[in-house]
Amino acid sequence: MAYGETPSQTVGPYFAYGLTAGQYGYDFSDIVNPTVAGPDADGEHIRITGTVFDGEGNRVNDAMIEIWQADANGVYSENPVDVADSGFRGLGRCGTGTDADNRFWFETIKPGVVEDAKTPFVNVIVFMRGMLVHAFTRFYFDDEAALNAKDDVLQSVPADRRDTLIAKRIQTPTGIEYRIDIHMQGNAETVFFDV
């Protein structure tokens, strides 16, 4: 008799309900949500949006994306749980299951360049069903081409794969949006890092 994996052997699908409870209508507060920076935070206010696709090109409706980023001055928050202190948290989580198009989104600011880096970026962790270990990647910004060309991490990625890490700037009626999709497998697979 063959036995399947137990829920404790995969990353999901339970993480979204526990780690982004407010999105799923549970009656307890989230420690972290898609608001990374409040309206009073210093810096250029932006929205990061995207969709997670599986290896067959289907939208994933139960992924959770977590981001961690520096503030506009390139400094990481000492207390990423409380956005009230400075208006900036630096940490965000968003499940894809409550949006009709299975998108993730983050209300944030464009990060500054951290001390050891050469360009602004956002650290990203992807959780989804069937994964035994979450996946790590980064989002870079397409309007930072000169700085991106100097970044050691981005330059270590083969040139024909770098675009999987570059968010595209779009001017929308509600402000600046950076759009980037995450492809878990396939020809357009996002570059993931072994950290």
Side-chain angles (χ1 to χ4, degrees):
M1 173 182 240
Y3 294 99
E5 293 177 341
T6 66
S8 65
Q9 292 174 304
T10 66
V11 178
Y14 310 108
F15 53 84
Y17 308 115
L19 298 176
T20 56
Q23 280 186 261
Y24 290 88
Y26 288 93
D27 191 21
F28 55 94
S29 62
D30 294 327
I31 295 173
V32 181
N33 59 45
T35 301
V36 178
D40 296 331
D42 292 335
E44 179 184 14
H45 286 257
I46 64 171
R47 185 173 217 215
I48 298 173
T49 64
T51 304
V52 180
F53 293 95
D54 66 16
E56 295 178 357
N58 299 315
R59 295 170 186 262
V60 177
N61 66 0
D62 62 355
M64 187 191 74
I65 307 302
E66 181 174 284
I67 67 169
W68 186 42
Q69 69 169 80
D71 66 13
N73 297 313
V75 177
Y76 286 99
S77 176
E78 291 182 25
N79 183 9
V81 175
D82 187 7
V83 75
D85 290 345
S86 67
F88 178 76
R89 174 181 289 141
L91 178 66
R93 288 187 186 134
C94 186
T96 61
T98 60
D99 180 76
D101 294 319
N102 301 125
R103 293 173 296 190
F104 60 86
W105 68 92
F106 295 97
E107 301 295 339
T108 187
I109 55 169
K110 190 170 181 186
V113 179
V114 297
E115 186 176 334
D116 295 336
K118 297 184 175 83
T119 192
F121 64 87
V122 175
N123 296 295
V124 182
I125 304 174
V126 181
F127 300 81
M128 73 178 245
R129 64 181 140 79
M131 292 176 57
L132 300 178
V133 178
H134 42 277
F136 295 88
T137 191
R138 283 183 172 181
F139 295 156
Y140 291 89
F141 300 92
D142 71 340
D143 56 342
E144 298 289 353
L147 294 177
N148 290 346
K150 299 175 185 177
D151 186 74
D152 296 332
V153 174
L154 186 58
Q155 295 307 307
S156 73
V157 174
D160 63 335
R161 305 277 320 282
R162 289 182 197 144
D163 64 329
T164 69
L165 302 176
I166 308 292
K168 310 292 188 263
R169 184 181 176 110
I170 302 166
Q171 179 69 50
T172 72
T174 59
I176 302 298
E177 183 174 304
Y178 284 89
R179 171 87 180 153
I180 186 162
D181 292 330
I182 299 172
H183 295 265
M184 299 307 296
Q185 295 176 324
N187 292 337
E189 180 178 345
T190 298
V191 171
F192 297 103
F193 297 103
D194 187 14
V195 293

